[in-house]
Amino acid sequence: MSIPPPPRPVRWLLAAGYPFIGAVVTALALVVVPLGVLLWPIDRRLRVARVMMLLLIAMWEDIGIVVGCWWLWLRALVRGREHWVEDHEALILAALDHAMTAAGRLIGFHVELDHELDWGDEGEPLVVLSRHAGPADSLALAWLLTGRARRVPRIVLADALLWDPGTALVLERLSSYFVPSASGAGDDRSRGVAELAASLGPRDAMLIFPEGRNWTIHRQQDLVTRLRAKGETERAAEAERWRHVLPPRPKGVVTILTTQPRCDVMVVAHTGLEVFSSPREVWRAIPFRSRLLVSARTYQRQDIPHDPAGIEHWLDERWDGVNAWVDSHRAGDY
């Protein structure tokens, strides 16, 4: 069941109280981290201490984003918004850099590129379609887009993430789109995607996960069963053949590419962490011994169809390639 977003007054209270929450959690961490170290005879990997320290760092980076956004708003009242986007982009990049560095040192979360990536025409926006699997893949891709590509991330996210004050504040200011939950009666979930696509500027990168949710082997198998029960035998056969991806949902991609036909499109495959399909498996694997290996291919806009049927067929072909790449590069069985 999807989590509904908080009402805006609740979001204001969360943002205002965030530093005080951080102080309380920090005080708690001063007890938990030493206790986690003392548990070494039982927990030889020091998971409790590692995770608590990482959560503490991530929380203060998030608090830093909230405070930075307040400061930029106050400064804009005096100096104007000449560098508004660049300043918020710098906030995101600094927080992601610090968080990724801490994740590498504390829990072994590392990102490796399979090859040098083509980030598309620098004078035009980029659409990024990615596989969604494993813990923190969206964080890693946002970090790559911001740090490596020097693009402004414009992300399609679940609106449950509005509970995170830092994410909500900075990404709303950068005009990302928080997709309404399916339970929201009357919500046109593609309207916001179209508006975001229409607003893309030359340095923007619009990141979307066409599968709609994180891949796990159980979800893939359940989907095959549901498709067969609904009589969609052809789609069920495809879903069964694609053992490492969920069939892409074309509506969002069709909306983006028909609204914004001048974009190059990057299709991202990655592997290494999808074997951790539950919080328990993630916990047991800390610190990780495998890296997130990322590969991508960028398609020029003139090579991409722009009619809905053509886009759907093109997307399925790309996802077939993503599945094949994961099959040939994955590190473990599932």
Side-chain angles (χ1 to χ4, degrees), residues 248-267:
R249 301 175 180 179
K251 186 175 182 180
V253 179
V254 168
T255 298
I256 294 167
L257 296 183
T258 53
T259 303
Q260 190 60 271
R262 76 178 195 272
C263 294
D264 293 340
V265 178
M266 172 182 277
V267 178

Side-chain angles (χ1 to χ4, degrees), residues 97-139:
D97 271 341
H98 296 157
M100 292 294 290
T101 299
R105 291 175 178 172
L106 290 171
I107 64 169
F109 184 80
H110 297 287
V111 178
E112 179 183 330
L113 299 183
D114 184 43
H115 54 86
E116 191 63 34
L117 304 186
D118 174 8
W119 301 105
D121 185 343
E122 292 183 0
E124 297 289 352
L126 178 70
V127 173
V128 182
L129 312 177
S130 177
R131 181 194 190 211
H132 201 10
D137 61 343
S138 53
L139 179 71

Side-chain angles (χ1 to χ4, degrees), residues 75-97:
R75 194 178 70 177
L77 293 177
V78 178
R79 300 183 184 178
R81 299 192 175 194
E82 184 180 356
H83 301 291
W84 183 257
V85 171
E86 293 85 349
D87 289 340
H88 285 84
E89 181 187 3
L91 275 181
I92 292 177
L93 179 56
L96 288 174
D97 271 341

Side-chain angles (χ1 to χ4, degrees), residues 153-171:
R154 309 284 296 279
I155 309 175
V156 179
L157 300 156
D159 63 358
L161 289 173
L162 290 169
W163 284 97
D164 178 348
T167 297
L169 193 53
V170 74
L171 290 183

Side-chain angles (χ1 to χ4, degrees), residues 137-218:
D137 61 343
S138 53
L139 179 71
L141 289 172
W143 174 65
L144 287 172
L145 288 170
T146 309
R148 293 289 185 92
R150 296 295 172 182
R151 287 187 175 268
V152 180
R154 309 284 296 279
I155 309 175
V156 179
L157 300 156
D159 63 358
L161 289 173
L162 290 169
W163 284 97
D164 178 348
T167 297
L169 193 53
V170 74
L171 290 183
E172 276 201 326
R173 288 191 182 182
L174 292 175
S175 302
S176 288
Y177 177 55
F178 293 84
V179 180
S181 62
S183 60
D187 282 324
D188 182 353
R189 305 176 77 194
S190 63
R191 184 185 307 162
V193 174
E195 291 173 355
L196 176 54
S199 71
L200 293 178
R203 291 187 57 244
D204 290 345
M206 185 171 180
L207 173 60
I208 185 170
F209 299 93
E211 291 159 302
R213 53 183 176 164
N214 229 345
W215 175 94
T216 68
I217 187 61
H218 305 295

